[in-house]
Amino acid sequence: MWVYLLVLLLPACGGRAFNFLGTVMTFYPNETSDDTVVLRYKLAFNECDNISVLECPFANCLLTVVSVDRVDEDSGGEWCLREVVVLVNTSSSKLFELRLTGGQWINVTNGVTDVLAVTHVDVRNRSSVSRANSSPVTTMLPILRVPSNCSMNWTLLTFDPDGDAVRCRFEDITSVLGLSSSCRLTFSPSNNSVEGAYAIQLLMEDFPLQNITVTNGREVDVLGNRISQIPIQFVLMVVPPVASCDAFSPVVLNTTAANGHFFYATVNSTVRLPIFAQSLSVSELLFCGPSSMNKTITEGRFELSWRPSDSDLGRSHPVCFVIQSTGESENNLQSELRCVFVVVERVLAVLKAGLISQGSLSMEFLREVFLPQLRTKLVEQGWPRSFTLRLGNITLET
Ligand SMILES: *[C@@H]1O[C@H](CO)[C@@H](O)[C@H](O)[C@H]1NC(C)=O
Ligand SMILES: *[C@@H]1O[C@H](CO)[C@@H](O)[C@H](O)[C@H]1NC(C)=O
Ligand SMILES: *[C@@H]1O[C@H](CO)[C@@H](O)[C@H](O)[C@H]1NC(C)=O
Ligand SMILES: *[C@@H]1O[C@H](CO)[C@@H](O)[C@H](O)[C@H]1NC(C)=O
Ligand SMILES: *[C@@H]1O[C@H](CO)[C@@H](O)[C@H](O)[C@H]1NC(C)=O
Ligand SMILES: *[C@@H]1O[C@H](CO)[C@@H](O)[C@H](O)[C@H]1NC(C)=O
Ligand SMILES: *[C@@H]1O[C@H](CO)[C@@H](O)[C@H](O)[C@H]1NC(C)=O
Ligand SMILES: *[C@@H]1O[C@H](CO)[C@@H](O)[C@H](O)[C@H]1NC(C)=O
Ligand SMILES: *[C@@H]1O[C@H](CO)[C@@H](O)[C@H](O)[C@H]1NC(C)=O
Ligand SMILES: *[C@@H]1O[C@H](CO)[C@@H](O)[C@H](O)[C@H]1NC(C)=O
Ligand SMILES: *[C@@H]1O[C@H](CO)[C@@H](O)[C@H](O)[C@H]1NC(C)=O
Ligand SMILES: *[C@@H]1O[C@H](CO)[C@@H](O)[C@H](O)[C@H]1NC(C)=O
């Protein structure tokens, strides 16, 4: 097993900076080159300036930093989130560990200081899918906030491109949070939940549904257990108690896409994710997603917009967001965490179809009845069976 080290180069202002707020690392094989794996990770620090990533601190390191881009930052200056894309040459090994190290956490109450995030990379060819393995896909905001006397749940996104089961566990025991193997985090008020910042370090792992064989081109192995492992690290901020836990924080309205929702997008066209919230003027939208995603306030709602490029094609991109109250206060409050996927697909054809109906038509009817019937008709007309139909623009005429 090979171990590479990635070092964070910290601000040039001298001394060691206590400024790390977390990371999430995912990887997937590069489709255009059998011998490279794409490592896409998020890095959060206190500040936006003067952070760079040093590749190859040791000889024979096969890493190439492709890009380091800003994703989002909060208005209070607590965090700045970046996305880093790295190509790893896997011609000599398809099974190794990547270590992110060299920095220091912000001062936290649970005793974590040095940064260490380990990704267990396995990109051997899998019998079950006839291609290289990918890690589970997820993402996380740098800081989650909760008042010390309220209960809160957060459900992490869990998606595996290979169809594996995904499970979570703590890397180190944290008494302040509960975690289920299905990646649901819970906070309940107790004597352990003293106010302050906590470094939370989780591991997400994928397990094949049955034994599979994997090969690196030379040897073949049977695997029935964990394949890959990715780190999810962030800060939990336990803030002073509030008078009422029912109405303590900004609220994401239920007209917003539900947690786990899939949006569909195509290369070079803009996809919009509307986010409805109460009291826009005293709150802000904070998100974690692709670095070229923009946030705006338009027509009385928040909106995330994104124009995927060719390199985003064929994958499900995770996006998480919260609404947070704004102000100087250390005691800013957060809404629940919502996470969705944006799947970037190839469009082969755009169809224009008309439907005449006497009654009103529901979206459910269009999706569940109309689309399957249209699909059957197209196959009868000689279309190949392996395509997916999705609803695009709908206009009503009376
Ligand atoms: C960032 O680094 C540059 C050059 O080293 C320096 O001029 C600048 O003041 C630094 N900015 C901050 C915010 O530290
Ligand atoms: C990977 O490294 C090997 C050996 O160093 C080299 O021959 C090969 O060209 C590299 N592949 C890529 C895609 O950079
Ligand atoms: C964090 O703790 C270290 C060591 O106790 C201290 O030197 C530093 O000033 C603290 N930093 C902040 C931002 O509180
Ligand atoms: C993986 O294996 C399948 C079938 O065994 C083969 O068609 C495919 O080319 C292999 N992919 C790679 C990246 O080696
Ligand atoms: C958290 O989840 C548990 C279990 O589903 C539920 O009983 C509880 O009401 C939830 N709490 C909050 C604050 O949503
Ligand atoms: C908190 O601590 C106090 C005193 O140690 C104890 O009486 C109380 O039961 C504890 N509460 C909880 C929720 O653990
Ligand atoms: C999976 O592989 C393990 C170890 O190779 C073996 O003990 C187990 O019986 C296998 N399970 C199935 C369902 O084949
Ligand atoms: C939270 O704490 C505050 C202050 O201690 C108290 O007034 C309030 O009733 C508490 N709320 C709940 C839901 O326990
Ligand atoms: C959204 O919330 C409103 C008011 O709380 C409720 O009347 C409505 O049924 C909810 N809609 C959905 C889709 O849950
Ligand atoms: C997207 O736009 C780029 C730059 O304009 C172009 O090179 C590329 O071919 C386009 N891709 C698709 C799928 O349209
Ligand atoms: C995002 O903002 C940048 C800079 O303002 C702009 O160039 C880009 O077109 C925007 N993208 C979308 C999808 O709106
Ligand atoms: C795949 O690898 C090639 C060659 O190493 C590189 O040019 C390309 O950008 C990589 N693709 C992605 C999506 O990073």
Side-chain angles (χ1 to χ4, degrees):
M1 182 178 294
W2 290 60
V3 179
Y4 298 120
L5 287 142
L6 270 185
V7 173
L8 316 173
L9 202 65
L10 295 159
C13 36
R16 308 199 74 173
F18 297 84
N19 61 358
F20 183 76
L21 287 155
T23 186
V24 176
M25 309 179 98
T26 60
F27 66 84
Y28 52 89
N30 179 339
E31 266 137 35
T32 59
S33 159
D34 280 354
D35 276 345
T36 54
V37 52
V38 183
L39 181 71
R40 212 177 249 253
Y41 62 99
K42 300 292 193 311
L43 274 181
F45 292 99
N46 271 152
E47 56 283 281
C48 268
D49 295 322
N50 288 358
I51 300 283
S52 55
V53 180
L54 186 67
E55 59 180 293
C56 294
F58 297 96
N60 301 325
C61 184
L62 298 166
L63 308 179
T64 313
V65 176
V66 176
S67 58
V68 181
D69 292 307
R70 198 194 69 99
V71 176
D72 196 18
E73 64 194 283
D74 73 314
S75 65
E78 269 194 309
W79 55 262
C80 181
L81 181 70
R82 286 186 190 67
E83 181 179 60
V84 183
V85 179
V86 171
L87 285 180
V88 188
N89 183 329
T90 56
S91 61
S92 56
S93 177
K94 308 227 177 287
L95 176 62
F96 54 90
E97 274 180 1
L98 271 164
R99 290 168 161 250
L100 177 77
T101 177
Q104 302 213 284
W105 282 83
I106 60 164
N107 286 353
V108 291
T109 58
N110 59 334
V112 180
T113 51
D114 291 347
V115 173
L116 177 60
V118 179
T119 307
H120 182 86
V121 181
D122 189 340
V123 283
R124 289 177 293 177
N125 200 346
R126 297 171 55 136
S127 58
S128 57
V129 290
S130 294
R131 59 180 149 77
N133 179 57
S134 301
S135 74
V137 178
T138 191
T139 197
M140 186 42 122
L141 282 164
I143 299 183
L144 295 182
R145 312 176 70 97
V146 64
S148 64
N149 69 340
C150 298
S151 297
M152 191 80 168
N153 295 330
W154 301 271
T155 305
L156 269 65
L157 276 185
T158 55
F159 173 74
D160 190 87
D162 310 311
D164 299 327
V166 177
R167 287 184 220 150
C168 286
R169 62 188 171 92
F170 279 122
E171 189 183 342
D172 54 350
I173 299 302
T174 329
S175 55
V176 74
L177 278 182
L179 174 68
S180 73
S181 64
S182 62
C183 305
R184 180 189 181 86
L185 289 158
T186 53
F187 175 87
S188 2
S190 76
N191 285 352
N192 293 332
S193 48
V194 284
E195 289 160 34
Y198 295 81
I200 307 295
Q201 307 187 77
L202 313 179
L203 298 171
M204 188 178 272
E205 297 171 319
D206 53 350
F207 296 79
L209 300 179
Q210 66 245 335
N211 284 1
I212 56 167
T213 60
V214 290
T215 173
N216 61 6
R218 297 178 292 275
E219 301 105 30
V220 177
D221 263 347
V222 178
L223 271 189
N225 218 320
R226 176 206 74 174
I227 311 176
S228 42
Q229 176 186 296
I230 59 170
I232 302 167
Q233 302 185 346
F234 59 94
V235 168
L236 175 75
M237 206 68 90
V238 179
V239 303
V242 290
S244 159
C245 293
D246 290 332
F248 72 76
S249 58
V251 173
V252 178
L253 299 176
N254 63 2
T255 38
T256 306
N259 206 43
H261 186 82
F262 281 80
F263 286 87
Y264 293 92
T266 55
V267 170
N268 290 347
S269 67
T270 302
V271 56
R272 295 178 193 284
L273 285 56
I275 295 159
F276 300 89
Q278 273 169 357
S279 52
L280 265 57
S281 57
V282 290
S283 56
E284 64 181 323
L285 169 66
L286 299 174
F287 77 99
C288 178
S291 57
S292 52
M293 186 170 256
N294 291 347
K295 63 177 183 185
T296 48
I297 296 186
T298 42
E299 296 162 9
R301 56 167 202 247
F302 292 111
E303 187 174 83
L304 291 172
S305 57
W306 185 41
R307 209 175 133 88
S309 66
D310 290 281
S311 65
D312 300 311
L313 182 64
R315 284 194 313 282
S316 301
H317 300 265
V319 180
C320 287
F321 56 86
V322 292
I323 308 300
Q324 182 168 305
S325 58
T326 48
E328 297 300 304
S329 167
E330 297 266 294
N331 307 338
N332 284 340
L333 297 170
Q334 268 181 3
S335 69
E336 62 176 296
L337 176 75
R338 287 270 172 114
C339 299
V340 299
F341 287 106
V342 181
V343 186
V344 182
E345 294 185 318
R346 202 182 293 281
V347 168
L348 293 179
V350 177
L351 290 180
K352 193 170 176 182
L355 188 62
I356 300 170
S357 160
Q358 287 186 321
S360 63
L361 290 169
S362 68
M363 285 300 280
E364 241 161 330
F365 173 85
L366 292 175
R367 252 194 303 268
E368 308 297 331
V369 181
F370 176 64
L371 280 190
Q373 284 181 4
L374 181 60
R375 191 177 198 291
T376 307
K377 283 263 180 292
L378 292 168
V379 172
E380 278 169 16
Q381 308 249 319
W383 280 48
R385 285 174 183 278
S386 58
F387 69 90
T388 309
L389 267 187
R390 295 199 194 294
L391 288 176
N393 286 339
I394 298 169
T395 53
L396 284 180
E397 285 166 29
T398 45

